[in-house]
Amino acid sequence: MRKTYSVAIDTVPLPEKPAELIDLVMKSITPVINEIISDAMNVAIGTWPTPEHPLKFKK
């Protein structure tokens, strides 16, 4: 499965203080980072062996 992630960037006046700028950037990218992590966890957990689909070792 291939998924595309996107971030919308809006033109806004930049804050004067660096701390406010960091907050602005984090608010913009945090939802995308959370979605990527969530998707990665779903893929990882989906590959773990379960009682219904135990891991088969080759001899």
Side-chain angles (χ1 to χ4, degrees):
M1 179 175 103
R2 176 175 271 180
K3 186 169 182 177
T4 303
Y5 300 94
S6 62
V7 177
I9 299 174
D10 195 5
T11 306
V12 295
L14 293 177
E16 293 181 15
K17 297 179 182 176
E20 292 174 353
L21 180 58
I22 291 170
D23 287 341
L24 180 64
V25 170
M26 289 307 294
K27 285 180 185 176
S28 299
I29 64 171
T30 298
V32 175
I33 292 171
N34 289 341
E35 186 177 355
I36 292 169
I37 291 170
S38 175
D39 291 344
M41 290 301 294
N42 287 336
V43 170
I45 291 171
T47 60
W48 290 353
T50 64
E52 295 81 17
H53 302 285
L55 184 63
K56 296 179 182 177
F57 293 101
K58 292 183 179 179
K59 291 185 179 184

